[in-house]
Amino acid sequence: TVAAPPESKYEPAGHAGQLMHDLACFSCHRINGHGGDMAPDLSWEGSSVQRKWLQDFFKNPNTLRPALIRRMPKFNLSDSEINELTDYIMTVYQSPDVDRDAMPLSGYPAVQVEQGKQLFYSKYACQSCHIIDTKTDKGYIGPTLTQVGSRLSATWIYKWLKNPQSLRPGTVEPNRNMSDEEARALTAYLLTFKGSAKQEAKK
């Protein structure tokens, strides 16, 4: 049995850091080796998500993982608090291996998008764990992808498809050993699914 790494003494800085403590973020989330494990690790959150989605999520947290019992509470934050937390997360929690602006969020060729769709539903059967079409997909293990094109950066999606373990060691997402072409096509397809956290919360 491999021993778990020791708990770090990481503390977020400034007023945003104090807000995170006041909201008890570390009770559920882990950042830089410190915190809980009941919600996603946020160490690289600034590299993974889009700013507008994060702001909307703070206003109206939605369910990204239908199978989880625990839900992100609504904290009724002020706009200034939301902006402060968003600025801090987007600036500080960056992966050195992910340039979130390296790939565009739109403009991919239709043939590439179609290739990605075929890979999603046929070769890799991603719908076994994820939901894009709420009427037909039955995947409840992984996060829902109905708004992934507005939620995640293109580079994060691509890097995740290539090697999820490199971004979040221990994740249940398997490494499919995708080619660069396949990962780009799947990224192009996933980016077509737009929608805000606010819209998703109303469903």
Side-chain angles (χ1 to χ4, degrees):
T1 302
V2 178
E7 181 78 5
S8 81
K9 297 182 183 292
Y10 169 74
E11 294 288 342
H15 188 252
Q18 185 59 53
L19 260 177
M20 293 172 71
H21 278 292
D22 292 344
L23 298 172
C25 299
F26 290 96
S27 297
C28 297
H29 294 280
R30 195 168 187 83
I31 303 176
N32 295 335
H34 172 63
D37 59 2
M38 293 184 292
D41 189 310
L42 301 181
S43 299
W44 306 138
E45 190 74 355
S47 293
S48 66
V49 300
Q50 298 179 37
R51 179 184 179 85
K52 179 63 167 58
W53 178 87
L54 186 58
Q55 289 174 316
D56 285 345
F57 187 80
F58 278 131
K59 292 177 182 177
N60 290 291
N62 61 68
T63 301
L64 295 176
R65 289 171 173 79
L68 293 183
I69 297 174
R70 294 180 181 274
R71 298 286 184 259
M72 173 88 166
K74 184 174 181 179
F75 291 111
N76 296 314
L77 299 169
S78 68
D79 287 345
S80 62
E81 289 173 328
I82 288 173
N83 288 334
E84 187 164 16
L85 285 171
T86 300
D87 286 343
Y88 190 84
I89 289 170
M90 297 299 293
T91 302
V92 176
Y93 298 137
Q94 291 280 334
S95 167
D97 299 321
V98 178
D99 178 358
R100 67 182 179 219
D101 299 319
M103 294 177 67
L105 292 170
S106 61
Y108 294 90
V111 64
Q112 191 175 38
V113 172
E114 180 59 29
Q115 180 190 3
K117 181 178 181 179
Q118 295 304 316
L119 290 168
F120 186 94
Y121 281 107
S122 297
K123 182 173 182 178
Y124 294 114
C126 305
Q127 75 276 16
S128 299
C129 294
H130 298 279
I131 293 174
I132 278 185
D133 187 333
T134 56
K135 296 180 180 178
T136 60
D137 299 344
K138 304 299 182 183
Y140 286 94
I141 297 174
T144 180
L145 301 177
T146 54
Q147 55 169 320
V148 67
S150 296
R151 179 165 64 90
L152 298 179
S153 72
T155 310
W156 180 271
I157 295 173
Y158 175 81
K159 294 274 190 178
W160 181 268
L161 292 169
K162 288 291 293 179
N163 188 357
Q165 299 290 336
S166 70
L167 297 177
R168 291 209 174 118
T171 180
V172 297
E173 179 81 23
N175 187 340
R176 305 284 192 166
N177 296 310
M178 290 185 192
S179 68
D180 292 350
E181 179 186 358
E182 288 180 327
R184 281 193 293 268
L186 262 170
T187 298
Y189 175 61
L190 292 173
L191 286 171
T192 64
F193 293 92
K194 308 290 187 182
S196 69
K198 186 183 300 183
Q199 290 171 331
E200 187 70 14
K202 292 179 180 179
K203 293 182 180 180

